[in-house]
Amino acid sequence: MRVLGLETSCDETGIALYDSERGLLAHRVYSQIALHAEYGGVVPELASRDHVRKALPLIHEVLNEAGLSVNELDGIAYTSGPGLVGALLVGACLGRSLAWALDIPAVGVHHMEGHLLAPMLEDDVPEFPFIALLVSGGHTQLVRVDGIGRYELLGESLDDAAGEAFDKAAKMMGLPYPGGPALSKLADSGDSTRFKFPRPMTDRPGLDFSFSGLKTQVRTTILACAVDGVLSDTDKADIAACFQAAVVDTLVIKCKRALQQTGVKRLIIAGGVGANKRLREQLRTATEAMGGAVYYPRPELCTDNGAMIAYAGTRRLLAGQQEDLAVAVVPRWPMTSLPAVDEQAGAAHG
């Protein structure tokens, strides 16, 4: 089954073509970073308009790379939530209209389920059950996964997501947009032991997260170090390193706790923060020390992309799920409300 995936939930236009027999055939991602940089964050109306501008040309590029025509598609998958409502509607309207014109089925995909299943696109595919750390700009969650659609939320952030905390800390330090990657790069040259930053909620039972206190710690440290309101390059690098170490340590501690409490041996990490090198290294070391294994998608599939939507959509289309003619998006959508997929009917090769 050949499925075209459309991702337009926020500020990346992701288009991909997945074949259930041959795997990922082609994918493209257009980032709107330059468009939103002057505003210091995503402007929803501008994001929607840019998806309209880029989606069709990217579809043509992906089909050309795969050597297929639009008439050879067997299904369409598009992100229907969660996300920015205007941006979601661009992909949903395009995907549903294209499916109607071609007389093929279409399915709306949960954005975070796409991230969760992204490691299935790699050669080393994790078996169920596994624990998923979904960590991005909008979400930080620990989920037990017993199958597609069989999700148990174990813990989540009670305030800011980890990626959001990275971005806000970077903005306080005057780093360029997008702040998270800039902060991580700067942290490589800093001293992660210079300042004492807390590891929030690790001194109590439970698997929930909280990162708002770390932002406060960043601001307090900036005020203490700044001379006439200006931070030195060394101070910036050291604050970045200490902040990153605190976030990574917190995530690692909670992941280890989730594995211990559930008895599950496999861990996957997905979402934009999943590309963080320090987090990958420490989670691998910690998981292997417990006799387990950790799985990641390649870095380019950690951020928002059409490949994860095409794959998740393929699994649900093969299981017989599809949408009616109505175009509907769900800006707020708990992943635990998704229906389970019949694994025999929905089997597809990564």
Side-chain angles (χ1 to χ4, degrees):
M1 186 178 204
R2 292 179 291 271
V3 175
L4 184 71
L6 314 177
E7 157 58 25
T8 64
S9 65
C10 191
D11 61 339
E12 272 98 21
T13 310
I15 309 294
L17 186 58
Y18 181 82
D19 187 310
S20 58
E21 298 299 325
R22 299 164 56 196
L24 184 61
L25 301 181
H27 80 104
R28 290 282 189 277
V29 176
Y30 171 76
S31 175
Q32 301 176 2
I33 285 176
L35 175 67
H36 301 288
E38 64 178 296
Y39 303 100
V42 177
V43 181
E45 176 64 20
L46 294 181
S48 302
R49 291 176 180 270
D50 222 33
H51 287 310
V52 172
R53 183 174 70 90
K54 293 300 295 185
L56 280 175
L58 287 175
I59 288 174
H60 289 303
E61 286 184 26
V62 165
L63 288 171
N64 287 338
E65 181 180 339
L68 297 173
S69 73
V70 69
N71 293 314
E72 294 177 276
L73 297 175
D74 300 308
I76 308 288
Y78 55 87
T79 304
S80 54
L84 302 175
V85 64
L88 290 168
L89 280 169
V90 174
C93 289
L94 176 58
R96 195 64 201 83
S97 300
L98 185 57
W100 179 81
L102 297 172
D103 194 24
I104 57 177
V107 66
V109 172
H110 192 290
H111 179 76
M112 294 311 294
E113 181 174 69
H115 276 304
L116 185 149
L117 297 178
M120 302 292 189
L121 288 160
E122 306 300 342
D123 293 333
D124 188 14
V125 177
E127 296 180 358
F128 299 116
F130 56 76
I131 301 300
L133 173 65
L134 302 178
V135 57
S136 65
H139 298 81
T140 300
Q141 297 178 330
L142 276 167
V143 181
R144 178 182 172 125
V145 181
D146 289 294
I148 297 177
R150 298 170 61 196
Y151 307 132
E152 178 189 356
L153 181 64
L154 302 176
E156 62 184 337
S157 180
L158 303 179
D159 39 59
D160 292 346
E164 182 182 4
F166 263 93
D167 289 339
K168 290 181 177 178
K171 191 170 186 177
M172 284 188 275
M173 294 168 60
L175 300 181
Y177 177 85
L183 188 150
S184 293
K185 183 177 181 180
L186 182 61
D188 291 340
S189 60
D191 178 1
S192 63
T193 64
R194 179 179 169 189
F195 304 109
K196 186 174 178 58
F197 279 27
R199 275 55 175 166
M201 298 185 71
T202 58
D203 58 349
R204 67 191 76 174
L207 296 171
D208 287 329
F209 302 89
S210 173
F211 296 105
S212 60
L214 281 173
K215 292 188 310 178
T216 303
Q217 185 71 42
V218 169
R219 178 168 293 280
T220 300
T221 307
I222 289 173
L223 292 174
C225 293
V227 178
D228 296 327
V230 178
L231 280 176
S232 69
D233 291 342
T234 298
D235 288 339
K236 284 185 178 181
D238 291 347
I239 293 171
C242 291
F243 172 82
Q244 176 176 261
V247 173
V248 168
D249 285 352
T250 300
L251 293 171
V252 171
I253 289 168
K254 295 288 185 169
C255 285
K256 289 172 61 178
R257 188 177 295 174
L259 294 173
Q260 290 167 345
Q261 290 182 5
T262 61
V264 175
K265 294 295 186 181
R266 289 174 290 275
L267 174 73
I268 71 117
I269 177 172
V273 182
N276 184 284
K277 293 181 181 178
R278 183 184 177 107
L279 179 60
R280 285 180 174 237
E281 291 168 358
Q282 291 199 16
L283 275 177
R284 183 175 297 281
T285 299
T287 306
E288 290 178 352
M290 297 173 65
V294 63
Y295 302 83
Y296 312 96
R298 69 200 79 163
E300 68 191 77
L301 298 184
C302 285
T303 55
D304 294 350
N305 63 87
M308 67 184 193
I309 302 304
Y311 178 80
T314 299
R315 297 298 295 264
R316 290 193 171 273
L317 286 167
L318 285 171
Q321 181 179 330
Q322 64 181 74
E323 310 298 339
D324 57 25
L325 288 176
V327 175
V329 297
V330 191
R332 297 183 181 275
W333 188 8
M335 195 170 62
T336 51
S337 69
L338 293 173
V341 162
D342 182 331
E343 286 302 306
Q344 295 301 315
H349 300 291

